[in-house]
Amino acid sequence: MDEEAVRALYDRWMRREARPDGPGCRVERVGEVVRQTGPAEAWNGVLWSGLTAGTADRAVEEQIRHYTALGRDFEWKLYAHDEPADLADRLVAAGFRAEPREALMVAGTAGGATDTAPPEGVELLPVTDAAGMDLVAEVHERAFGTDGTLLRQRLLAQLVDRPDTVAVVLAVAGDRPISSARLEMLPGVPFAGLWGGGTVPEWRGRGVYRALVAHRARTAAARGYDWLQVDASADSRPILHRLGFTTLSTTTPYVYEP
C-alpha cells in the first residue's frame, strides 16, 4: 500500500469533501475549516482544517461560537498530520477535552478481512427495525458502559431516511445479543466506515469482533467500495492489523461542551 497516497485520498473524500452522514445534517466549509452541523443526536464537529499558526485561534473561536449558539456539544477531530503542530494545545487552551487517541486504519475490501466466520453458536443478524435497534443500544451500553439512547435515535432515523447509507449487524448467541456493529456507506466515496464494534465482556476474545469486521467487509465489497476505514482503539488495533489493516495516522477527538 502507498500509505501517503491512500491518506491523501482519505483526507480528500472523508474530510475536505465530506458528505453529510445523517438525516438533517449539513457539511459546511467556513474558511479553512470543514464542519458538520446536525440535530442533537447526530455527530457535530470539525472534520478537516487547513490552518496555520496565524489563523488557528480565530478559527477555533469561530467554531465554538457556531456550535454554542445552537446549544450543541461538538468534536474537533484532530489527526496527527494536521497543522499547525500545536493545534492540540490550542484546543485544550480554548476549553476542549481530549478523549483517547485512536488509530486511523484502512484495508482494501478485496483483502483478507472478509474471510473470518463467526464462532460456533453465534449468528449474525441484520438490524432493520426499532426492536433490533433496542438490542443494539443494549449491547452498546454493556460493551462500552455509556448510554445508547442517542445512538439508537440516530441510527433509527438513518434507517428510515437514508437506509442505503448504513448496515447494522447484531451478533446473537442463542437468543442473547452479545455484540453489534455498523457499516457507514456514503454515496460517491471510495471508503466505507466500520463503526461501533462492541462486544459484551464475557464474549470478548472469542472471535466475534473479527467476524463482524469480515461481515461488514463483504457488504462493503458487494456495494462497490474499495476501502474500509476504522478509527481503532488500542484493543482493536492488533486484531485489525492481523486482518490486513494498515495504520495511516492517529486521530484524537477533542470535545467541547458548552
Side-chain angles (χ1 to χ4, degrees):
M1 180 188 296
D2 184 337
E3 295 179 15
E4 185 174 346
V6 177
R7 184 170 60 235
L9 191 70
Y10 177 86
D11 279 349
R12 174 192 172 188
W13 287 106
M14 305 304 290
R15 302 183 68 203
R16 293 198 311 274
E17 300 178 20
R19 275 77 162 164
D21 70 358
C25 296
R26 65 183 187 275
V27 171
E28 308 161 306
R29 180 159 189 159
V30 183
E32 289 301 301
V33 170
V34 175
R35 69 191 182 203
Q36 175 169 289
T37 304
E41 68 273 13
W43 185 87
N44 284 266
V46 173
L47 293 154
W48 177 85
S49 64
L51 304 174
T52 67
T55 62
D57 290 341
R58 181 179 299 176
V60 170
E61 292 170 2
E62 182 179 351
Q63 308 322 307
I64 291 173
R65 285 195 300 271
H66 169 72
Y67 289 106
T68 299
L70 298 171
R72 297 282 187 271
D73 297 351
F74 76 102
E75 176 184 308
W76 192 299
K77 196 163 176 55
L78 183 66
Y79 290 76
H81 57 284
D82 289 345
E83 297 289 343
D86 66 348
L87 184 51
D89 294 335
R90 294 170 186 261
L91 291 171
V92 171
F96 288 76
R97 169 178 50 83
E99 294 197 336
R101 182 179 301 169
E102 298 169 316
L104 169 62
M105 303 185 74
V106 300
T109 56
T114 62
D115 296 339
T116 304
E120 184 177 355
V122 174
E123 185 178 7
L124 304 184
L125 303 175
V127 177
T128 59
D129 57 21
M133 206 59 71
D134 288 342
L135 298 178
V136 169
E138 175 189 326
V139 169
H140 176 88
E141 292 176 355
R142 291 170 59 203
F144 297 110
T146 57
D147 183 41
T149 302
L150 291 181
L151 174 67
R152 178 186 182 279
Q153 292 174 356
R154 182 167 72 84
L155 291 179
L156 273 177
Q158 198 169 350
L159 283 175
V160 171
D161 294 346
R162 304 177 66 192
D164 292 340
T165 67
V166 64
V168 185
V169 59
L170 188 71
V172 297
D175 60 355
R176 186 179 184 190
I178 61 170
S179 188
S180 65
R182 68 186 188 275
L183 178 71
E184 299 275 0
M185 299 165 288
L186 296 175
V189 303
F191 292 88
L194 305 182
W195 297 95
T199 303
V200 299
E202 60 269 29
W203 273 89
R204 291 172 187 165
R206 303 196 201 183
V208 178
Y209 177 79
R210 293 192 297 274
L212 288 173
V213 171
H215 175 88
R216 289 176 290 169
R218 291 191 295 271
T219 300
R223 302 275 187 97
Y225 290 86
D226 296 326
W227 297 97
L228 300 168
Q229 171 266 320
V230 58
D231 293 344
S233 68
D235 291 335
S236 301
R237 194 176 312 163
I239 301 172
L240 292 166
H241 181 72
R242 290 194 294 271
L243 290 173
F245 283 73
T246 297
T247 300
L248 297 183
S249 186
T250 61
T251 178
T252 303
Y254 283 83
V255 177
Y256 191 91
E257 299 171 329

